[in-house]
Amino acid sequence: MVLPLHPPFSESSTPTPINNARSPLNLVNPLDLSPVHIENDAPITHEHDGCIADPTAANMTRYCHLALYFVLNLALTLYNKAVLQEFRLPYLLTSLHAASGCVGCFVLHQRGVFVLRRLSTSEVFTMLAFSLLYTLNIAISNVSLNLVTIPFHQVVRGTSPIFTAVTYGLVYGKVYSMATYLCLVPVMLGVGFATYGDYYYTAAGFALTLTGTALASVKTIATNRLQTGPLRLSALDLLYRMSPLALGQSLIYAYLSGEFCAFHRLAFDEGHLTRTMFYVLVLNGVIAFALNIVSFTANKKTGALTMAVAANIKQVLTIWLSIVVFHLHLGMLDSFDLDYVCPFSKKLFNTVYHDVFPLVEKKYSGKVQFIFRQQIQPWHPSSTLTHEAGVAVLKISPDQFYPFSAALFEKQTEFFDVNTVQETRNKTYERLAKLAATVGLNEKEVFDLLHVDVKPAQDGSLNIGNGVTNDVKLLVKVSILDAIRPKSTVRIRAGPDGEQANRLTGVHVTPTVLFNGIVENSISSGWTKDQWDEWLTKNIV
């Protein structure tokens, strides 16, 4: 995509030269309260690009900031994906990002890189309102994700540029040309094509997603106005004030979601917080800090609408990089929800694993992928225990998930009610760990994740769970642990990317097969290889 010489989405006029040599980062002096000229046809204030007066040079500065925004944003997105494979604590990771902003801004402020602008009481309340806007936007987004599918969520979010343009028109009287609106259409359609999938939603989910999109647009505009309007805060000044508020809110979320206990177990009980992991997290925080500075600065220099468009382009680039870096496979999805102690699930699994997988790799390679969804059925008490073992295998060695599942289905009767009712829970875990060892896993490593200590936790709590309890909670809530074939490796999804939870699709019994997110009732556990071949021929493009 080639950017024009004069960005069509920029809300700013030609920059006014300001002597700001004292700032090594070429930021606006926050104590400079001189009047800002506002053009009648451009309600947003002038960009203050230090001593840059040449419009061409100013445009190059915008392009450089946008390029740096893309690089850092994509880098952090992919880095977060890699980190969350081991450090599965998203709210604490967000807290780390906020803490990095606090520390980074404090150090730069102490070194005289920027000066804090003195705020009046009303301006302090403005900053608090801005913080609440950020929090509300995140909260609504998270709630809506439980009520709609990811493809639907992304498509609605892709309309953010329209919301931004309309909001500018309603609030500031900004009028964009028809060419600008026409340029937004392919950008939004690109997100739709890139995230195409099952568009499932509830009425409440649709309303919340739409509200979240509107709030995201308002947030982007507010970020721009705080830097170019009457307050004229520099990027570092704004980040300095926002980071502590974001840190407090993220820690509250982490506590309420149980991540504090999970972190204690990860760091001390399981010993996964190694020196290497520590350095990995520190680097993650540094990148997040740099991205926040660049993001705020790019918003100020290019305008809110440009940033809304950039966010859409970033989504498409993220998908492309996921294909290149993480070998993400795009194709039709055929998911099957199975229970390890269900006889009919065993029948379906054996046919798919031994007959259909080789058939797909031979005739439909690159056109379809199968997702094994673990469906816990609580009326079989041992169902939870067996699926905990499956999750443990996914955490330790994803490549061994399917071989372990095949071995477990082969021995499933040993974990039926009659054969488990007389033994303790940890004894069942022992047998599951031994079974995992038969397909090449470390028995002790599996058992360490599964066993439940007989002693209370340090805080006196008795429901202490085990090393996969939080993973099982997420599995039940949003079905995020997906084993995908055909692939060279089994992928553990770090989020519900592209498929809705079993709760949304109404899956209740096993086996249940879904094709592109829609329950396919015609498929039976008794199907043969030939029947599967016939069905795939009719339904796979």
Side-chain angles (χ1 to χ4, degrees), residues 55 116 158 173 263 400 434 456 483 540:
L116 287 174
F263 175 78
Q400 297 301 109
K434 288 182 182 296
I540 302 302

Side-chain angles (χ1 to χ4, degrees), residues 247-522:
L247 176 59
Q249 293 159 3
S250 299
L251 289 175
I252 292 174
Y253 289 143
Y255 174 78
L256 294 176
S257 64
E259 288 191 4
F260 280 7
C261 294
F263 175 78
H264 185 276
R265 182 165 54 248
L266 178 77
F268 301 103
D269 298 341
E270 300 174 11
H272 288 173
L273 190 62
T274 61
R275 178 176 296 182
T276 300
M277 177 58 72
F278 174 78
Y279 290 136
V280 166
L281 292 174
V282 169
L283 180 59
N284 187 270
V286 171
I287 296 176
F289 175 58
L291 173 61
N292 281 328
I293 296 177
V294 171
S295 178
F296 284 164
T297 305
N299 188 312
K300 172 194 163 196
K301 291 182 178 295
T302 65
L305 183 55
T306 302
M307 295 304 292
V309 172
N312 280 15
I313 297 174
K314 189 216 76 171
Q315 288 188 49
V316 178
L317 290 177
T318 300
I319 295 172
W320 179 77
L321 283 177
S322 295
I323 297 172
V324 174
V325 177
F326 292 99
H327 307 292
L328 175 66
H329 181 89
L330 298 181
M332 293 186 175
L333 300 175
D334 201 354
S335 65
F336 46 103
D337 297 80
L338 306 178
D339 179 21
Y340 284 126
V341 292
C342 168
F344 299 102
S345 292
K346 173 185 177 181
K347 195 173 184 180
L348 178 63
F349 176 87
N350 284 339
T351 302
V352 171
Y353 182 64
H354 296 293
D355 298 327
V356 179
F357 280 173
L359 175 68
V360 169
E361 291 177 351
K362 181 180 179 180
K363 296 183 62 176
Y364 308 100
S365 179
K367 296 181 179 180
V368 64
Q369 56 184 338
F370 282 73
I371 302 177
F372 180 170
R373 291 275 175 77
Q374 295 176 248
Q375 178 75 7
I376 297 174
Q377 299 191 115
W379 49 89
H380 298 312
S382 60
S383 176
T384 300
L385 308 187
T386 55
H387 284 290
E388 283 181 320
V391 172
V393 172
L394 274 172
K395 293 186 69 172
I396 296 170
S397 180
D399 289 339
Q400 297 301 109
F401 176 79
Y402 272 99
F404 171 75
S405 296
L408 181 51
F409 274 120
E410 187 65 27
K411 302 287 186 180
Q412 72 168 188
T413 57
E414 297 181 9
F415 299 94
F416 282 2
D417 291 347
V418 172
N419 292 324
T420 57
V421 69
Q422 296 288 352
E423 67 182 8
T424 65
R425 180 175 168 185
N426 279 337
K427 185 64 178 178
T428 304
Y429 287 149
E430 285 183 11
R431 294 199 291 125
L432 288 166
K434 288 182 182 296
L435 183 63
T438 64
V439 295
L441 285 101
N442 185 294
E443 179 181 339
K444 183 180 183 302
E445 193 173 3
V446 174
F447 181 71
D448 285 346
L449 279 177
L450 295 175
H451 91 283
V452 178
D453 202 332
V454 296
K455 298 178 181 179
Q458 292 183 351
D459 61 359
S461 59
L462 301 178
N463 279 326
I464 59 176
N466 57 23
V468 297
T469 297
N470 284 332
D471 300 284
V472 171
K473 288 180 180 179
L474 290 173
L475 184 151
V476 172
K477 182 179 181 182
V478 292
S479 193
I480 68 167
L481 299 178
D482 299 340
I484 300 178
R485 286 288 296 268
K487 291 180 68 68
S488 57
T489 60
V490 179
R491 179 164 65 95
I492 304 177
R493 289 188 175 183
D497 50 342
E499 285 292 314
Q500 67 270 36
N502 295 345
R503 290 180 176 181
L504 288 181
T505 54
V507 172
H508 179 62
V509 296
T510 60
T512 299
V513 178
L514 290 83
F515 182 61
N516 274 348
I518 306 299
V519 175
E520 181 57 69
N521 289 318
S522 67

Side-chain angles (χ1 to χ4, degrees), residues 11-65:
E11 292 85 29
S12 303
S13 305
T14 305
T16 302
I18 292 181
N19 185 6
N20 191 30
R22 66 177 290 180
S23 174
L25 295 183
N26 200 30
L27 298 172
V28 179
N29 184 343
L31 297 180
D32 181 0
L33 302 180
S34 57
V36 180
H37 176 62
I38 301 177
E39 300 287 353
N40 291 332
D41 61 344
I44 305 303
T45 60
H46 286 249
E47 307 268 3
H48 297 289
D49 296 325
C51 298
I52 299 176
D54 181 8
T56 302
N59 284 332
M60 289 304 300
T61 301
R62 296 188 183 103
Y63 295 150
C64 288
H65 278 89

Side-chain angles (χ1 to χ4, degrees), residues 56-277:
T56 302
N59 284 332
M60 289 304 300
T61 301
R62 296 188 183 103
Y63 295 150
C64 288
H65 278 89
L66 279 176
L68 193 56
Y69 164 78
F70 277 123
V71 170
L72 289 176
N73 204 320
L74 291 170
L76 185 63
T77 299
L78 297 177
Y79 197 171
N80 285 344
K81 179 178 175 63
V83 169
L84 285 169
Q85 299 295 321
E86 295 292 333
F87 191 80
R88 301 178 68 85
L89 305 170
Y91 287 123
L92 283 181
L93 187 63
T94 303
S95 301
L96 172 66
H97 294 172
S100 300
C102 293
V103 174
C105 287
F106 176 79
V107 171
L108 293 179
H109 179 252
Q110 291 298 309
R111 295 179 64 86
V113 173
F114 69 102
V115 181
L116 287 174
R117 185 188 186 283
R118 188 182 299 277
L119 300 181
S120 65
T121 302
S122 62
E123 291 170 338
V124 170
F125 281 109
T126 298
M127 297 300 295
L128 289 175
F130 180 64
S131 171
L132 290 175
L133 174 63
Y134 258 76
T135 304
L136 187 61
N137 178 60
I138 294 172
I140 289 180
S141 178
N142 288 338
V143 172
S144 66
L145 280 172
N146 287 325
L147 301 173
V148 302
T149 58
I150 296 299
F152 180 81
H153 186 270
Q154 295 294 79
V155 165
V156 175
R157 282 279 180 161
T159 63
S160 178
I162 290 294
F163 276 91
T164 302
V166 170
T167 302
Y168 263 129
L170 293 176
V171 179
Y172 299 109
K174 175 70 176 179
V175 179
Y176 293 99
S177 66
M178 181 57 66
T180 297
Y181 285 104
L182 291 177
C183 286
L184 297 179
V185 174
V187 174
M188 293 185 294
L189 288 178
V191 175
F193 291 139
T195 60
Y196 175 76
D198 174 50
Y199 299 134
Y200 176 90
Y201 60 90
T202 64
F206 176 77
L208 286 172
T209 305
L210 207 60
T211 301
T213 304
L215 287 176
S217 301
V218 173
K219 178 194 70 176
T220 305
I221 294 172
T223 302
N224 180 273
R225 292 295 295 167
L226 285 172
Q227 297 180 93
T228 62
L231 280 176
R232 293 178 55 215
L233 298 176
S234 69
L236 284 171
D237 194 345
L238 183 58
L239 186 59
Y240 184 96
R241 301 173 192 277
M242 287 295 100
S243 294
L245 297 172
L247 176 59
Q249 293 159 3
S250 299
L251 289 175
I252 292 174
Y253 289 143
Y255 174 78
L256 294 176
S257 64
E259 288 191 4
F260 280 7
C261 294
F263 175 78
H264 185 276
R265 182 165 54 248
L266 178 77
F268 301 103
D269 298 341
E270 300 174 11
H272 288 173
L273 190 62
T274 61
R275 178 176 296 182
T276 300
M277 177 58 72

